Amino acid sequence: MSAIMHQLSDILLYIKWGNISKDFFGFSRGWIYQRLNGYDGNGKPSEFTESQKETLRNALKELAHRIETAADNIK
């Protein structure tokens, strides 16, 4: 398991990673799964760049805010 997968293990099953890839990075669904698993499309080791890690952090924070807002709207 890659370091990033380990760090995200609590939420991996609850997130649509393909949507994050398309909406926040502009890449295919496969791209983010490759990075999460630590390889590129050719099976070579690859990981998120520092800039991409920042984008992922911001995406997760935005989703957390959306979830909190949705929960607050339940009446």
Side-chain angles (χ1 to χ4, degrees):
M1 178 183 291
S2 73
I4 196 89
M5 287 278 276
H6 182 71
Q7 293 167 340
L8 298 172
S9 63
D10 285 349
I11 63 168
L12 280 174
L13 297 177
Y14 301 102
I15 304 292
K16 284 192 161 190
W17 297 102
N19 290 347
I20 289 177
S21 186
K22 289 170 30 181
D23 294 347
F24 292 93
F25 291 96
F27 294 126
S28 69
R29 293 183 330 173
W31 176 86
I32 199 162
Y33 288 107
Q34 291 166 355
R35 293 308 176 281
L36 288 170
N37 288 302
Y39 61 85
D40 67 11
N42 297 316
K44 296 180 183 175
S46 185
E47 57 186 41
F48 292 100
T49 65
E50 290 305 314
S51 174
Q52 291 168 341
K53 288 179 185 178
E54 182 67 22
T55 299
L56 182 57
R57 274 191 292 275
N58 290 334
L60 293 173
K61 287 178 182 182
E62 182 176 325
L63 291 174
H65 176 70
R66 289 182 191 180
I67 291 169
E68 185 174 359
T69 299
D72 289 345
N73 287 334
I74 297 173
K75 305 208 188 273

